[in-house]
Amino acid sequence: MTRAVTNKVRQFVSSGDANQAVSDDGLFRELFLDAINGKDPRADMNGDGYILGSELGLYLDQRVSNLTGNSQTPRFGKLRAHGFDLGDFVFKVPSQSISPEPQEREVKTEDAVPTPAPTSIANQELLERIAKLEKLLQAQQLDNKTPPQLTPAPEAPVPSKSPDTSSEQPTETSGTTGEEESPSSSEPDATIDKQLDAFFDAKEKFGRGDITKDEMVKASLFLNDASMSGDDKAQQELGVCYWDASCGFEKDEQKAVRLIRMAAENGNAQAQADIGWMYYNGNGGYAVDIGKAAEWYKPAAEKGIASAQNTLGYIYQYGKGGVAVDEEEAVRLYRLAAEQDEPNALNNLGYMYSFGKGGLPKDLKEAARYYRMAADLGHTIAQWELANFYFDGTGGLEKDQAEAARLYRLAADKGDATALNDLGYMYRKGLGGLPMDENEAERLYKLAAEQNQSVAMYNLAHLYEYGSATKRDPKAAAQYFLKALKLREQRTVDLLINKQGEQLSALTRRHIQELLRDEGYYSGSIDAKFGSGTKSALLTYQN
């Protein structure tokens, strides 16, 4: 501490990286003030009652990056100027304590942000719709009748209504297809609806293998003429056929986007949601533009498309794409989508209740109720969240680690890295009726670590350092501790840097020094002593 305050330093902490737009009064400012005012003890990483500038930078980097999904990534460090890089800024805060023992289990924190999960094309509704055929469009000569090909990232006009609609907004039907029906259907509309019903029936049969490719093509022929006549439902469905080659057509993404765009501009709600999804994810030849995505999601959400309501809610919650942060509007949209059993929205409402956001009270019982509904619909994150409630006995639930293990396994079986880690932890400890099995714990930790799950890397290192005699492997422990450090896993930072590796075996410390030397970060003695040279190498390595 004396060295930190008596030596000169030129130090910086930025709220984001180059080219990142950040708010003057946003998450970074909130967390910065929480840290220096002692409201979040995690900022004081060694629990000595003082926060160094390097500790503050690391804390802000981890928290802001996690909470924004890496869309805002603070940077920190010291300017490389002779004589001005030895000290450190120091903030005096109320003393906070940190457990001296490494913690293994992933603990749910506010980092568990809701998932935007835009659905539609490449997600549920559209990707389920088709599978392989190739010749219809050549015969139909669609290219000669459609507008010019879309260029990447075109401007998004205000979606217009179909020419034959009334001045009133069409009423959205109750299904998930996003089709609209006018207040008074004309005879041609009724004919198209009957043809679409037959088309959907044929697609279902084709998907089961009950009809041939030629029969599927025949059932699809009407879509082209109807599309050229301006029917938005036909444009949407024909676009879907080309998007993922389901109606027997050869996949043609450009034609698909052109047709879906036509349908969207004619007021088709599902097509508007799909164009929003393309802008949100940078698909279909569009560059990522969340502001334009929001423009398309809004009319789709107003017409009742659940996926659009959910993702627009997420945009409002975090103020993405230049949209002002409005957590209460996010909650309103999540509720609309949740009423249609949209799993992501149910999960996101659970999150909002967990932390008392968007004008909602902090209510873990209500959070558990929403997580359960989403989990029952197969939502992976909700299964993990509900497992945490059962593991700890919170949210009005009885502590039931067997049920926690069951839910962790459901999420782990779908590849969720955090659930793989937590299930591995339960095998390591023999919890929830599971046998104590270091081999299974190791397997699960490795699967999670392969997805860069930093806690799983720490847990693997911990297993190789402190496990049974047959599992101890100091070199492997050193490798995984450094991997976890690279990802700024907080327990690893505390263990290697703040506590100078004092809880590790001498052999593991030597291997860490050797690995740092081999990668060009360390040139000192391989002596298992984590002095200033080793600490400097570790800090440089993690940054």
Side-chain angles (χ1 to χ4, degrees):
M1 186 62 67
T2 300
R3 178 179 177 180
V5 298
T6 57
N7 285 298
K8 297 178 180 179
V9 67
R10 290 176 179 169
Q11 201 164 3
F12 68 91
V13 180
S14 71
S15 57
D17 209 344
N19 301 320
Q20 291 179 348
V22 299
S23 171
D24 291 336
D25 190 25
L27 180 64
F28 177 87
R29 178 179 182 275
E30 178 184 345
L31 293 175
F32 184 100
L33 294 175
D34 284 351
I36 63 175
N37 289 323
K39 293 182 179 179
D40 191 341
R42 288 172 291 189
D44 182 11
M45 292 184 177
N46 61 359
D48 63 358
Y50 298 90
I51 298 177
L52 300 183
S54 54
E55 287 180 308
L56 178 64
L58 177 59
Y59 164 80
L60 291 169
D61 182 10
Q62 291 176 326
R63 295 288 291 155
V64 175
S65 297
N66 283 338
L67 289 172
T68 63
N70 291 319
S71 65
Q72 183 179 345
T73 52
R75 292 290 178 259
F76 66 97
K78 299 176 183 179
L79 299 184
R80 295 180 179 177
H82 180 67
F84 291 89
D85 60 353
L86 299 177
D88 215 319
F89 279 98
V90 180
F91 299 87
K92 178 72 173 69
V93 296
S95 178
Q96 304 289 337
S97 61
I98 293 181
S99 170
E101 294 299 324
Q103 299 295 311
E104 287 189 313
R105 182 171 164 266
E106 176 81 324
V107 178
K108 180 171 76 66
T109 69
E110 199 169 328
D111 296 354
V113 298
T115 49
T119 55
S120 234
I121 294 174
N123 235 337
Q124 302 159 320
E125 295 162 6
L126 288 176
L127 279 182
E128 290 172 355
R129 290 186 182 177
I130 1 198
K132 202 102 176 144
L133 275 223
E134 54 185 78
K135 300 173 182 173
L136 180 63
L137 244 134
Q138 296 170 353
Q140 305 270 329
Q141 296 181 337
L142 180 61
D143 279 336
N144 296 328
K145 301 180 181 179
T146 51
Q149 177 179 320
L150 286 172
T151 55
E155 292 298 312
V158 177
S160 61
K161 295 177 183 178
S162 178
D164 62 350
T165 56
S166 69
S167 61
E168 295 182 359
Q169 194 68 273
T171 302
E172 175 61 21
T173 58
S174 60
T176 60
T177 62
E179 299 169 7
E180 303 157 29
E181 69 178 49
S182 299
S184 57
S185 297
S186 64
E187 185 177 344
D189 290 335
T191 300
I192 288 293
D193 287 342
K194 289 180 180 179
Q195 290 174 315
L196 282 170
D197 287 342
F199 166 72
F200 292 135
D201 183 59
K203 282 175 67 174
E204 185 177 341
K205 291 177 180 177
F206 184 61
R208 295 197 305 261
D210 294 343
I211 63 173
T212 66
K213 177 179 175 179
D214 289 342
E215 289 172 316
M216 184 68 244
V217 170
K218 185 176 180 180
S220 308
L221 289 174
F222 80 97
L223 286 174
N224 187 66
D225 290 340
S227 294
M228 296 310 100
S229 298
D231 187 272
D232 61 281
K233 291 171 283 190
Q235 291 165 345
Q236 164 71 10
E237 293 303 329
L238 188 57
V240 170
C241 287
Y242 281 112
W243 179 266
D244 47 10
S246 60
C247 310
F249 310 158
E250 184 176 336
K251 180 179 174 68
D252 190 329
E253 189 173 292
Q254 291 176 343
K255 290 175 183 175
V257 173
R258 187 159 65 245
L259 285 158
I260 293 169
R261 179 76 178 232
M262 289 168 61
E265 290 175 352
N266 282 330
N268 184 281
Q270 184 61 61
Q272 290 167 342
D274 292 341
I275 296 296
W277 178 87
M278 291 179 195
Y279 273 118
Y280 193 100
N281 291 280
N283 239 310
Y286 294 82
V288 171
D289 189 328
I290 295 179
K292 286 190 176 73
E295 291 177 15
W296 285 104
Y297 278 136
K298 285 177 183 178
E302 289 170 1
K303 297 170 188 174
I305 300 298
S307 62
Q309 291 165 341
N310 174 71
T311 309
L312 186 61
Y314 181 81
I315 291 171
Y316 274 113
Q317 184 177 348
Y318 290 100
K320 290 180 171 289
V323 176
V325 172
D326 189 338
E327 290 187 347
E328 292 187 4
E329 177 64 4
V331 167
R332 186 187 74 83
L333 288 162
Y334 289 154
R335 285 199 188 281
L336 290 173
E339 288 170 1
Q340 301 182 61
D341 290 332
E342 211 289 330
N344 296 294
L346 291 164
N347 175 72
N348 291 345
L349 278 174
Y351 170 83
M352 300 299 268
Y353 273 110
S354 286
F355 295 101
K357 290 182 171 290
L360 299 177
K362 183 174 181 178
D363 187 337
L364 295 184
K365 286 186 179 180
E366 194 68 357
R369 186 173 75 87
Y370 278 104
Y371 284 143
R372 184 183 302 283
M373 287 189 284
D376 288 345
L377 292 169
H379 194 280
T380 304
I381 293 177
Q383 289 167 342
W384 176 76
E385 294 280 9
L386 190 60
N388 290 335
F389 279 38
Y390 274 111
F391 189 97
D392 297 321
T394 55
L397 302 177
E398 293 289 333
K399 187 171 184 177
D400 186 343
Q401 293 187 345
E403 179 63 6
R406 185 188 73 83
L407 288 161
Y408 284 141
R409 190 180 300 281
L410 287 175
D413 286 346
K414 289 178 280 188
D416 183 80
T418 309
L420 285 164
N421 172 74
D422 291 348
L423 188 60
Y425 173 81
M426 295 190 78
Y427 272 108
R428 174 89 188 274
K429 297 294 185 181
L431 301 174
L434 300 178
M436 187 178 292
D437 187 337
E438 288 184 332
N439 290 328
E440 183 64 3
E442 179 185 26
R443 184 186 74 84
L444 292 164
Y445 286 155
K446 281 185 174 180
L447 288 172
E450 287 169 2
Q451 299 181 54
N452 285 332
Q453 219 289 342
S454 61
V455 178
M457 292 175 180
Y458 170 86
N459 284 345
L460 264 176
H462 194 278
L463 176 64
Y464 292 137
E465 178 71 8
Y466 301 110
S468 63
T470 58
K471 282 296 172 191
R472 290 188 185 179
D473 184 340
K475 186 173 183 179
Q479 290 171 335
Y480 278 105
F481 275 132
L482 286 179
K483 287 182 178 182
L485 180 67
K486 195 76 170 178
L487 294 175
R488 296 182 173 88
E489 199 286 317
Q490 190 167 336
R491 285 164 288 268
T492 309
V493 172
D494 186 52
L495 188 63
L496 298 187
I497 296 176
N498 299 329
K499 293 177 178 162
Q500 300 179 312
E502 62 188 23
Q503 295 177 332
L504 304 178
S505 68
L507 191 53
T508 298
R509 293 199 298 272
R510 288 192 184 94
H511 280 304
I512 288 173
Q513 290 175 324
E514 288 172 351
L515 290 168
L516 291 169
R517 179 198 62 195
D518 293 346
E519 294 191 38
Y521 292 97
Y522 179 64
S523 59
S525 301
I526 308 300
D527 56 7
K529 297 177 181 178
F530 280 17
S532 60
T534 304
K535 184 174 182 178
S536 176
L538 289 166
L539 287 168
T540 304
Y541 179 84
Q542 79 163 355
N543 289 324

